Amino acid sequence: MSTVRAKKHLGQHFLNDKNAAQRIVEALTPSLGFTQVLEVGPGMGVLSDFLLQKTAYETYLIDVDDESIEFLADKYSELGNRLIHGDFLALDFSKYFGDKMAIIGNFPYNISSQILFKILDERHRVIQMAGMFQKEVAERCVAKPGSKEYGILSIFLQAYYKVEYLFTVKAGAFNPPPKVLSGVMRMTRNEVEKLDCDEQLFWKVVKAGFNQRRKTLRNALSAVVQKDKMSDNPLYELRAERLTVGDFVQLTNEIANSR
């Protein structure tokens, strides 16, 4: 098999810019201590070519596309069970990976949020991620309080990771070219093992706040806590987009204590 057809329903846009591919791979930091790297959606292996030259870690590839798997199995016959035919979103990490690993990829744009939430679910073992997303998604991930891009994804990721926007890639670097610009970002695990609050309630508070982001939190959070149980904390008079992770932790503790 000499090539793989990009499939629209899988959100495939194969990167063909080797310089960009190398920059993404070089964004990983093996000195953090991970010895395994999982590439998501390798397609025809433009990132894989650079990853497999590295000796600091073992590279694993996962793809749901039958045609890609057949192509990659022929191209990298040495991979064996490190070539995984399956859905990343349904992957049981414990079958393949230890307690320190990294994830990399030119990620399918149609499931980018689900991919990021899967990484969050595995944050105890995923200590770094480097990869390509739709530029707009990457900008939301790195956004700071007060910006219109700042939202649920920004809060959840930045609670557990240092998130950095690295560089932009134009549509011409892909086959077929997407209709949007692409952005490469890196997430590196911070020292927060657990938030200093009820984490389930924290997620509920953040979601409620941003689901009605035009309202002040005193109104937006009324479904989570009764208004008469809210304190005079000035944070309640702000919109969700103005609060830091620490502010949301503080409000979550107040709400937990008022119940």
Side-chain angles (χ1 to χ4, degrees), residues 5-22:
R5 292 175 298 109
K7 299 165 188 67
K8 189 174 182 179
H9 74 281
L10 293 177
Q12 291 175 326
H13 296 275
F14 296 138
L15 181 65
N16 54 27
D17 183 331
K18 292 191 176 183
N19 179 56
Q22 185 170 19

Side-chain angles (χ1 to χ4, degrees), residues 222-239:
S222 58
V224 179
V225 58
Q226 295 175 10
K227 282 190 177 182
D228 60 2
K229 292 188 176 180
M230 294 180 185
S231 71
D232 58 359
N233 189 326
L235 292 176
Y236 280 116
E237 311 313 323
L238 302 177
R239 293 177 177 176

Side-chain angles (χ1 to χ4, degrees), residues 28 47 58 63 77 85 118 141 146 152 224 227 256:
L28 290 177
L47 288 182
E58 276 193 324
D63 209 304
S77 57
H85 188 186
K118 176 73 170 180
C141 294
I152 292 174
V224 179
K227 282 190 177 182

